[in-house]
Amino acid sequence: MHSSKKGNQWYFGMKAHVGVDASSALVHSAGVTSGNVHDAKVMDRLIRDDDTAVYGDKGYASGAKKRAAEATGVLWAVKEKAKPGGRLTARQRARNHRYGRVRAKVEHVFRVVKCQFGYRKVRYRGIAKNGAQVFSLLALANLYLARRTLASA
């Protein structure tokens, strides 16, 4: 785990990165890193070979990754960023909104882990023990979300 400074506030911790299936909203891949690692660096480990679409927020935007995904026939549904000093067009905003509905399924997993299971702060100093705890909570979140899906069907 690593400390970082944002503004004048110091933070110490880790990040959990998850890949979620768009149709079932269940976690299919997960990883943990120290808090100072950018999310886009872990993106390649979260995408499976059989994925047909990649959804993400604008932090994941990359021209090279977009071209590589489109060359393999994968839908690149990462939100678009405005150019520096510019604004998004109405078409770009509509596209971001349309793909944002699918991206919200990732946040449901984190809601279950944080609100239902009460995991808001890490318990241990090392990333290995905290990672093991996060992976078990994500597995339980899958069970919780699958049960809720079956109950509503």
Side-chain angles (χ1 to χ4, degrees), residues 91-124:
R91 186 175 183 176
Q92 289 173 322
R93 282 195 308 270
R95 178 186 180 275
N96 286 352
H97 182 71
R98 184 173 66 243
Y99 292 144
R101 292 179 181 195
V102 178
R103 281 189 50 250
K105 293 180 181 184
V106 174
E107 304 304 326
H108 292 259
V109 174
F110 286 113
R111 184 201 64 83
V112 169
V113 170
K114 287 183 173 184
C115 297
Q116 300 300 116
F117 301 146
Y119 189 76
R120 293 187 179 270
K121 290 186 179 180
V122 294
R123 182 175 296 171
Y124 309 107

Side-chain angles (χ1 to χ4, degrees), residues 33-149:
T33 60
S34 60
N36 65 341
V37 176
H38 193 273
D39 297 338
K41 293 188 184 234
V42 189
M43 181 178 175
D44 296 332
R45 287 185 261 163
L46 300 176
I47 300 172
R48 299 179 298 180
D49 292 336
D50 62 338
D51 283 341
T52 58
V54 175
Y55 295 90
D57 63 5
K58 62 185 180 180
Y60 293 101
S62 166
K65 289 182 182 180
K66 179 179 181 179
R67 287 188 294 277
E70 289 175 346
T72 59
V74 174
L75 171 67
W76 185 257
V78 174
K79 285 191 163 194
E80 294 195 28
K81 283 198 288 193
K83 301 288 185 210
R87 303 180 82 177
L88 289 175
T89 64
R91 186 175 183 176
Q92 289 173 322
R93 282 195 308 270
R95 178 186 180 275
N96 286 352
H97 182 71
R98 184 173 66 243
Y99 292 144
R101 292 179 181 195
V102 178
R103 281 189 50 250
K105 293 180 181 184
V106 174
E107 304 304 326
H108 292 259
V109 174
F110 286 113
R111 184 201 64 83
V112 169
V113 170
K114 287 183 173 184
C115 297
Q116 300 300 116
F117 301 146
Y119 189 76
R120 293 187 179 270
K121 290 186 179 180
V122 294
R123 182 175 296 171
Y124 309 107
R125 276 182 94 76
I127 199 163
K129 282 186 178 181
N130 286 316
Q133 189 174 20
V134 166
F135 294 144
S136 62
L137 288 173
L138 289 172
L140 289 171
N142 271 353
L143 292 173
Y144 180 86
L145 291 169
R147 182 172 171 251
R148 301 262 327 223
T149 305

